[in-house]
Amino acid sequence: MFVKIALVSIFFALLAFYYPSFVPFLAKFAPQKPNPKNSRLFTPEELQLYNGNDKPELYLAVLGKIFDVSKGSKHYGPGKAYNFFVGKDASRSFITGKFGDNDVDDRVSDLSQEELRSLNHWVGFYGKEYKRVGKLIGSYYDKNGELTGYGREVKKLIEVAELAKNNQDLDKIKYPPCNVEWGADTGTRVWCSNKSGGVTRDWVGVPRQLYQPGQDYRCACVQTPELSANLKEYEGCDSTSESCFVKT
Ligand code: HEM
């Protein structure tokens, strides 16, 4: 019995002593983690080769993220409609629709929030439909694969643009758009219904001018007529009326 206890104690003592150096040794035999999908870094010159000619694969970059679009060769292959995008980062062209030699531009920070959302949608599309193969060293990623200052700026701008959209969506639920019609004799009529603005609800509301910063006012249906600085009644329209003829 004593021998057994002594052997077990020696075993644990040795284990405790050698454990720190044993772990890295064992790690060598552990299955390697697969290379993260976006770890491979490409220079612009390397990416350029993935054009279906110099190399058989077709790669494109959007916001510095590189995708293998080979399975979409009917769109991206040599001579095909979207071959322009291959072998480069032409992020801006996803918005401008300009596909000329002089239109290759990956800078997008001056785009509107809507355009940035559209671009972000393209990134999502490629992430879903195609395999991400790496990052392009350039405007968005540095040679260590870290986001550059510009990359961080664009990331932030996109986050803000997406948040603004969420707020707009919430706003649309709170203040659904009115129905609008125009007749040569009658002029413009705005009115609320329980489906106006495509927002199905169990209330109808009354039309009001909704003023939002940096935008023209729009007609919104307001559930409980409230007095606020950004909501105004239509001139000549009864404050409880669901329908108003308005001057435009
Ligand atoms: C800003 C302008 C545009 C951009 C950036 C753009 C970009 C693209 C891209 C990248 C694809 C390939 C998607 C994939 O990988 O499956 C595509 C497909 C396609 N685009 Fe465009 N496009 C634009 C405008 C247009 C316009 C104006 C038309 C129509 C007149 C059009 C018609 C099509 C069609 C028919 C497909 C193929 C859909 C399919 O077969 O799956 N595109 N577009």
Side-chain angles (χ1 to χ4, degrees), residues 60 69 72 74-76 82 85 93-99 122 125-126 129-130:
L60 64 73
V69 295
K74 66 174 177 169
H75 302 307
Y76 304 100
Y82 297 107
F85 284 113
S93 292
F94 283 98
I95 302 306
T96 61
K98 290 184 183 163
F99 304 152
W122 276 110
F125 166 80
Y126 284 109
E129 296 296 324
Y130 298 101

Side-chain angles (χ1 to χ4, degrees), residues 13-141:
L14 286 173
L15 190 65
F17 186 76
Y18 286 110
Y19 186 73
S21 46
F22 199 49
V23 170
F25 172 74
L26 276 184
K28 284 186 196 160
F29 300 99
Q32 291 294 303
K33 273 194 188 158
N35 221 9
K37 60 184 177 180
N38 50 12
S39 66
R40 185 167 165 205
L41 294 172
F42 292 73
T43 61
E45 295 71 29
E46 277 168 335
L47 177 60
Q48 209 174 7
L49 299 175
Y50 291 82
N51 55 22
N53 288 323
D54 296 304
K55 283 185 185 278
E57 297 92 346
L58 299 160
Y59 288 4
L60 64 73
V62 54
L63 299 185
K65 298 176 169 74
I66 302 177
F67 298 92
D68 180 345
V69 295
S70 304
K71 76 175 167 111
S73 59
K74 66 174 177 169
H75 302 307
Y76 304 100
K80 303 295 180 187
Y82 297 107
N83 179 252
F84 163 81
F85 284 113
V86 155
K88 58 175 83 76
D89 188 332
S91 293
R92 205 176 174 84
S93 292
F94 283 98
I95 302 306
T96 61
K98 290 184 183 163
F99 304 152
D101 287 347
N102 295 330
D103 299 314
V104 182
D105 192 354
D106 60 359
R107 312 286 280 193
V108 299
S109 57
D110 60 327
L111 295 180
S112 70
Q113 289 193 329
E114 197 175 348
E115 290 170 329
L116 285 170
R117 285 194 293 269
S118 169
L119 195 53
N120 197 29
H121 186 82
W122 276 110
V123 176
F125 166 80
Y126 284 109
K128 197 162 151 267
E129 296 296 324
Y130 298 101
K131 197 168 152 248
R132 171 114 176 248
V133 287
K135 297 172 187 172
L136 178 63
I137 300 169
S139 298
Y140 294 90
Y141 295 99

Side-chain angles (χ1 to χ4, degrees), residues 117 158-169:
R117 285 194 293 269
I158 289 177
E159 279 167 14
V160 170
E162 294 292 357
L163 277 176
K165 177 74 172 58
N166 289 345
N167 287 346
Q168 280 168 22
D169 291 348

